[in-house]
Amino acid sequence: MNRKHLTVAVCTALVGMAAPAYAQEQAASNSGEAITKIETVTVTGSRISNPNVVSAQPVSVLTAEDIKATGAVNIGDVLTTMPALATSFTMGNSGRFIGTAGISMQDLRNLGTQRTLVLVNGRRMVGAMAGDTAVDTNLIPADWIERVEIITGGASAVYGADAVSGVINFILKKKYEGVNLHAQYGSSQHGSFGKSLFAVTAGTNFADDRGNIAASLEHARQDALEFRDRFGNEDLVTINTPGGKYARSYFKNGGSYEFTTGGVFSRTGSFSNPANLYVFNPDGTYRPLRIDGLRDTGRRRCTDCDHNDSNRANQLQPKYDRTTFNTAGSFDINENHRLYMEGLYNQANSKSLGTAAFNTFGTYGGHFIDPDNAYVSPALNALTGGQGFVVSRDDFDSGRRGEDTKRKTMRLVLGAEGVLGSKGDWQYDASVNYGRTHETRENFNNRYMERFYAGLDAVDNGSGKIVCRSQVDPTSVNSNLGTTISAETAASCIPFKIFGDGAISQAARDWFNVTTKSKTRLSQFVAGGSLVNNNLFELPAGPVSLATGLEYRRETSEQINDPLDKAGLTFLNAIPDSRGSYNVRELWIETAVPLLHDLPLIKNMTLGGAVRFSDYDTIGNTRAWRYNLDWAINDSLRLRGNSSSAVRAPNIGELFGGQSQNFMIMDDPCDAQQIGRGKDPAVRRANCAALGLPANFTDQVTGSNEGLSGSNPDLEPETGKTWTYGFVFTPTFLEGFSLNVDYWKIKLRNAISSLDFEQMAQRCVDNVGGINNTYCANVQRRADGQISFVTATLQNIAARETDGIDIGASYSHEFYGGKMSWQLDATRTLNYTDYPFQTSPDEKVEYLGALGYPKWKAVASVNYKRDNWDASWSTRFVSGVARQTDWDTYKADPLFLAPAKAGSGTVHDVRVSYDFADTGWNVYGGITNLFDSDPPLAMYGNTFGSGVYDTIGRAYYLGVNYKFR
């Protein structure tokens, strides 16, 4: 009897009190029958199991079989195919920010990775990047996973901060007997994009089966995938088409004519008239700019012309490998008490490549060439008026910049669990959990700006030898830097030229490029314990369940950047060091109270509730709560509803991350073409005039704008509310069928947000009170009116609302001597509204249906098992979206861009496996993207919005498992 009590305690720990109905079902019987029922529901044998029949909260489950069926070697990209999760961080788009390449962080409901809590066996996991607690799910060993539970309702009351949109709980193996080997290799049809996985798992019992120790070693890797290897030469550009049906349209073989790898210059100094522009040939000669196709003078773009190939350096997937060692152990002290441990060590390496350093006319003033530069011929000097000239250039021949990142993560959990009391009514679980992440990132081919411009300023030393000007005149002021060159740089200076693609010598690039390093250290310590009583006292409808617990958590983060980067001396953004920490003490209580039982239309009805009190040393006290109703009408139909409040404390990066240099692409709202896009064009026009800008003002910045962004130590906690209502239908007349439909709604208030540079500029000139406002104070302009610098830091200024419907259906039945299983998992988002300024609710932005916010996302699959064969077919679907970044923009001007929408994406995957009976061998193979579907035009998977599409194309994999018998 005591051993059964212990088993109940273990099962309770497994579900982590995520659903009060679990505890209620266990309390209904101490015979073990309830446990059998839970396992029957949780592991149904279909591809996606469904425990909703016993849960008052919507829960989706991804099993180990589901994961293997995808052919993936990293779990992160598997999760992002699930309908409830956004593709904010896939392997393909993880390089959008500095230091994130190779990281996969999960984003439930598109509310942000910082609002999705990731757990491992119901406990927290250390974060993956400086200042953040978001977990890199790629490091979790795929072969060690038993299942993944996704709780899509608010869960802050049970799990604490970060669970605003829900919880993803990885259930890993706790014990194992025997030895299993697993190997897989795959490659893509386009670009030979290879992936491989090797894993060995072993475990054994000891001490007369009272203890078990198990471990796994897993190595996974993938090759880099370059744009050229997948899509070939596909230069695309949007061109203004005045007089046409659409304002702008996509065209092939086009780009910016003022920005090339060989260099563009103007004989007059102005880039506004392409008739005055010249380009350098690879041999250093020059000729007039060629434009044989369409011309967009306002945006300086063209087709069939001299232009920059923007995809030349585009990378679709980084090179990545990881090695993970995982271990678990347990020992039964006696029938009532058990010790356990979990350990993980992971080393992941990623290498990503991007564009070379560059200078463009609009952003940086270009590379200025002095008239006495040694590489300037008399004819060129005469052409440019002998006053020097600006070269606008993508310095591809200086070497592609990139990041080589090594991340080491460890985690150790030590705990005890068991039962207390003569009847074993009280179940306890106490543990300590320590994790740390160490990251070392090398930024290679990072331009040392002083060296570059010192070498570019080449002169004749009077003896026919070309040297750096600073070597013959140390007091000279460099025209590009506006300062003198340091003696150290002058002493080693190597002169070079930039006239033509390939002009920069290897010696020069080796000299002015440096490798800078940054180091990040994160640590997490959690100590806590819980008590659960599933038979606290008896009511007419059944026993009351109670769970309560205490938790202490401390998070620390430190990032040390290279001195050159901190000082802003390199091409990389100037990023200061950052460090911070916080601790929190928490008390939580959860209960399930049976209200009614065995009445007409009420088989049982249970009311659940939870509350969590938290005390942070940064923001003070917070409280989160949840209550839910579970109503089983009969054996076929169950209704459920939840309402909860959520709290998210600002993380370390948001509080203490510091303020650093940043760059963003933006449209100046005072540009003549942007005036009419203001909320009140008359107000915008008047304010732009008050800034001293003419009515025909043109935004000359074609690249990124410079500015400052970063943290705020005075931030307050975010708050949110979540509602879910739904039903589960498991008809007794149709065995093997289940249907669950849930409506969900989330409101987020006091959201931590910063205005992007464009929003800051818009708020400045759209203010009905004129330009004497804080927004205009944060937008600096040059004497010619061009925006030169924008300051935008974090504030509690935003709100968000989203709601939708989740649909899950499964059906299993006998078919021709085997078993056929059908599964559908779909999400229909009904609304996604962002309020950049929660105090101005009329200034909302509707994102649903725009790029990155599809209305429908679904996965459907069918699986057939017969004898030793197992075959499956899976279809992934995402609905089309408008190419504009928000739906309001599309509604206001649906003819702004052609094609106006990116079409839907449908991808089919197949897999077949065969078990060799009584041998321990299993072989399998599969094809992903069976029909080699291409993504929509210009959707390459390396941006936030395009990450939802499959960009690798058809790929194949083969694998083998061998279990020693």
Side-chain angles (χ1 to χ4, degrees), residues 190-449:
H190 307 281
S192 299
F193 176 57
K195 288 185 177 183
S196 61
L197 171 73
F198 176 79
V200 56
T201 302
T204 184
N205 290 340
F206 61 91
D208 297 326
D209 293 338
R210 291 172 59 194
N212 180 270
I213 185 71
S216 74
L217 181 64
E218 183 172 299
H219 179 74
R221 61 170 296 277
Q222 73 166 43
D223 298 327
L225 180 62
E226 297 293 326
F227 180 92
R228 284 284 184 267
D229 295 334
R230 172 65 176 95
F231 295 106
N233 185 9
E234 190 177 85
D235 296 344
L236 290 171
V237 66
T238 58
I239 298 288
N240 279 338
T241 54
K245 180 179 180 181
Y246 290 89
R248 295 177 184 175
S249 298
Y250 274 98
F251 293 93
K252 292 188 176 182
N253 189 27
S256 170
Y257 61 70
E258 69 161 8
F259 185 50
T260 71
T261 52
V264 180
F265 68 95
S266 172
R267 64 178 180 178
T268 65
S270 171
F271 279 65
S272 60
N273 186 355
N276 294 325
L277 301 184
Y278 286 74
V279 296
F280 285 105
N281 298 312
D283 62 358
T285 61
Y286 52 89
R287 57 175 173 79
L289 176 77
R290 178 185 64 86
I291 301 180
D292 295 333
L294 298 173
R295 179 182 304 179
D296 182 349
T297 305
R299 301 171 68 227
R300 297 171 186 176
R301 300 182 179 189
C302 57
T303 63
D304 192 13
C305 59
D306 293 317
H307 66 274
N308 185 53
D309 181 358
S310 59
N311 286 318
R312 184 176 180 181
N314 200 346
Q315 189 175 57
L316 301 181
Q317 295 274 330
K319 183 179 180 181
Y320 180 82
D321 69 83
R322 66 169 174 86
T323 301
T324 307
F325 177 73
N326 217 85
T327 184
S330 62
F331 183 76
D332 294 348
I333 300 174
N334 53 41
E335 289 104 343
N336 294 325
H337 306 285
R338 174 182 296 165
L339 302 177
Y340 62 85
M341 62 82 64
E342 302 168 12
L344 176 145
Y345 177 81
N346 179 85
Q347 179 167 320
N349 306 316
S350 66
K351 187 174 184 179
S352 62
L353 293 170
T355 62
F358 55 87
N359 271 115
T360 64
F361 173 77
T363 306
Y364 302 101
H367 300 314
F368 182 78
I369 307 298
D370 286 288
D372 61 343
N373 188 287
Y375 296 110
V376 176
S377 66
L380 179 57
N381 215 352
L383 179 66
T384 56
Q387 301 299 313
F389 57 97
V390 170
V391 177
S392 178
R393 192 175 192 270
D394 178 5
D395 302 321
F396 192 84
D397 50 6
S398 70
R400 294 170 68 184
R401 295 176 298 126
E403 297 179 357
D404 193 347
T405 306
K406 294 178 173 58
R407 301 182 183 94
K408 297 179 180 179
T409 304
M410 65 83 63
R411 179 176 185 261
L412 179 64
V413 178
L414 299 174
E417 61 187 1
V419 295
L420 302 171
S422 58
K423 298 181 179 180
D425 287 339
W426 288 97
Q427 305 156 12
Y428 75 89
D429 188 345
S431 65
V432 292
N433 174 4
Y434 177 74
R436 71 183 185 197
T437 297
H438 286 184
E439 175 191 282
T440 302
R441 185 181 74 250
E442 295 184 346
N443 306 291
F444 56 88
N445 284 338
N446 189 10
R447 176 176 294 172
Y448 195 153
M449 301 300 288

Side-chain angles (χ1 to χ4, degrees), residues 575-726:
I575 305 176
D577 292 344
S578 64
R579 56 180 55 85
S581 65
Y582 68 84
N583 62 68
V584 55
R585 297 170 174 83
E586 298 182 288
L587 164 67
W588 59 270
I589 303 171
E590 186 174 6
T591 185
V593 181
L595 302 178
L596 300 171
H597 180 66
D598 288 338
L599 297 174
L601 298 180
I602 303 177
K603 181 182 178 182
N604 59 67
M605 181 181 291
T606 302
L607 178 67
V611 64
R612 174 176 289 254
F613 303 95
S614 304
D615 181 14
Y616 290 84
D617 67 347
T618 52
I619 60 170
N621 298 323
T622 66
R623 184 184 65 179
W625 51 262
R626 187 196 76 203
Y627 61 86
N628 54 266
L629 184 67
D630 177 35
W631 176 10
I633 295 177
N634 51 41
D635 290 334
S636 299
L637 182 62
R638 179 184 294 263
L639 307 181
R640 59 190 179 189
N642 294 267
S643 179
S644 65
S645 74
V647 177
R648 188 184 78 86
N651 61 35
I652 293 173
E654 292 165 333
L655 291 169
F656 312 119
Q659 298 176 0
S660 61
Q661 181 186 29
N662 204 349
F663 296 90
M664 295 184 187
I665 295 175
M666 61 175 288
D667 289 325
D668 191 327
C670 289
D671 183 280
Q673 296 187 26
Q674 299 295 324
I675 291 292
R677 295 181 177 275
K679 180 181 179 182
D680 186 335
V683 170
R684 178 175 288 192
R685 185 177 296 107
N687 285 335
C688 290
L691 289 171
L693 304 177
N696 62 347
F697 175 76
T698 301
D699 181 8
Q700 300 288 341
V701 181
T702 59
S704 302
N705 284 84
E706 184 181 2
L708 190 72
S709 60
S711 64
N712 180 355
D714 297 321
L715 290 172
E716 299 175 356
E718 298 179 339
T719 60
K721 289 188 177 181
T722 301
W723 298 266
T724 62
Y725 309 102

Side-chain angles (χ1 to χ4, degrees), residues 370-377 456-461 465-467 469 499:
D370 286 288
D372 61 343
N373 188 287
Y375 296 110
V376 176
S377 66
L456 181 64
D457 192 10
V459 296
D460 190 317
N461 69 351
K465 182 180 180 181
I466 298 177
V467 297
R469 187 187 303 274
F499 302 157

